[in-house]
Each structure stands twice: as C-alpha cells, then as structure tokens.
Amino acid sequence: MCIRDSCWRSDWGTWLVLREYWSNRQDRTLEDHSKELEQLVADLPEEPLVYADSENAPAINQFAAWGWQVQAAIKNVLDSIDCIRSLLKVQPATGEPRLTISAACRRLVAEMRKYRWHKPRSGTASPVPRPLKREDDCVDALRYAVYSYEQQQGRAPGSLTYKAEPVRYGVRLERHTRRW
C-alpha cells in the first residue's frame, strides 16, 4: 500500500516523496500494518488517501472498515513506469526533476537502483517488455500512488484526458480561447 500524502504534490506538478513504510515480517497482520501506518501519518493535517493493490480486495475492504480512505490503484505497469520515468527526468526550465525522493526513503531508493528489466533468451522474441518482479514493493507502491493520482486528474501520460501543459523557459503559457 502507498499513502499518497506521504508523497506530496505541489500545484506545479512536482512530487516529493517524504516517507516510506515497508515491512517484510511474515508475522504481521493487516491490523499490525494499519497501526504502524497510523503512527506514520499521525502528524498529517488531513486524512491521507491510500492506494492499494487492486488485486487485494480483502485488504482494501478491511482498511476501509478501519476508517482509512483507500482506493484500488490503477495498475497499468508500462504506463505507470513511463509516468515515473517522465517525472524523474530533469526539466530544462527548472534544472530539477518533477519527482524527488527523500534520502529518508532508504528502501525505495535501494529498490529503484536495483530495478531491472526481463531479458529474453537469445533467439526468442519478447513482445512486451516487463520488469523483473524482485524487491520492488516500494517501487510498485510509488507507481500505484503517483500514477493513480495523475491518471485520475487526467495528467498522466496515457490517460484519456491528458494534454501536456505548454511550458517554455519556466513560464507556463496560458491558452486563450478568445479570438481577436
């Protein structure tokens, strides 16, 4: 699960990932995770929005029953990877990426460094590229939150209403509908 409010998005479309929650302890129940997440978000000014794996309906229902504002994530793998990739690119106008990850998110940073793609055997064609499913829980959570939010707002590449905002030299250009 990824808490969107641990990922802050400015009005300019810049994301800052401030915190992470990750546990591989097999003895943890959903209730244990919920309690730990409550401590993580206790200082947030408003109720956080949680994006959860859409294939885990029982967990979504349980978190909702405990009072969490939870939504099933949009899990389009390639589009969400492209979304994260585009946010990580340095913007020429600002010299900064639109996605910054705090050094406090050690697990996420480590997973991003290890992120790899499946390499098909020589002589076989792989019609669709796919990432290796290895140590990618935090990366998946980031993709779920950022892509789902951007898609719902119509801002993610691949969303039906996506239109890139015209920007030149750091100045946002407004579209005028008035004809002179």
Side-chain angles (χ1 to χ4, degrees):
M1 296 205 174
C2 185
I3 300 174
R4 189 192 67 81
D5 292 327
S6 290
C7 306
W8 180 74
R9 186 183 188 280
S10 74
D11 292 337
W12 303 283
T14 301
W15 287 88
L16 176 60
V17 182
L18 301 171
R19 313 167 192 196
E20 69 180 2
Y21 172 76
W22 178 83
S23 175
N24 66 348
R25 291 185 49 192
Q26 298 299 314
D27 63 332
R28 303 305 251 171
T29 64
L30 281 178
E31 188 172 8
D32 293 333
H33 292 299
S34 178
K35 288 177 181 177
E36 289 179 22
L37 287 169
E38 283 176 10
Q39 293 174 357
L40 182 72
V41 301
D43 63 337
L44 293 177
E46 55 189 54
E47 182 183 346
L49 175 59
V50 177
Y51 287 99
D53 187 336
S54 56
E55 294 176 14
N56 195 348
I60 292 172
N61 293 335
Q62 187 61 60
F63 271 79
W66 287 325
W68 288 91
Q69 183 183 350
V70 62
Q71 291 184 8
I74 300 170
K75 290 181 57 174
N76 185 321
V77 176
L78 296 179
D79 284 349
S80 62
I81 290 171
D82 284 344
C83 178
I84 297 297
R85 201 181 270 162
S86 71
L87 292 171
L88 286 170
K89 288 182 181 175
V90 173
Q91 303 299 302
T94 62
E96 299 287 330
R98 290 182 31 225
L99 172 62
T100 303
I101 300 168
S102 167
C105 301
R106 291 185 203 144
R107 179 73 188 190
L108 175 58
V109 170
E111 285 184 13
M112 290 187 82
R113 288 183 175 144
K114 295 177 186 176
Y115 207 75
R116 299 290 180 263
W117 290 88
H118 172 74
K119 294 180 183 175
R121 294 180 188 172
S122 61
T124 61
S126 178
V128 178
R130 59 186 168 90
L132 289 174
K133 292 299 296 168
R134 188 180 311 145
E135 294 184 45
D136 62 352
D137 294 334
C138 292
V139 174
D140 283 351
L142 176 67
R143 287 190 305 104
Y144 293 168
V146 172
Y147 183 72
S148 296
Y149 182 81
E150 293 288 314
Q151 183 80 7
Q152 290 166 351
Q153 302 299 313
R155 293 190 200 104
S159 69
L160 295 176
T161 58
Y162 174 73
K163 290 184 179 135
E165 296 177 20
V167 177
R168 286 216 176 111
Y169 306 110
V171 178
R172 180 173 293 169
L173 303 176
E174 299 295 327
R175 292 180 194 234
H176 296 285
T177 56
R178 206 183 280 172
R179 292 185 183 226
W180 301 100

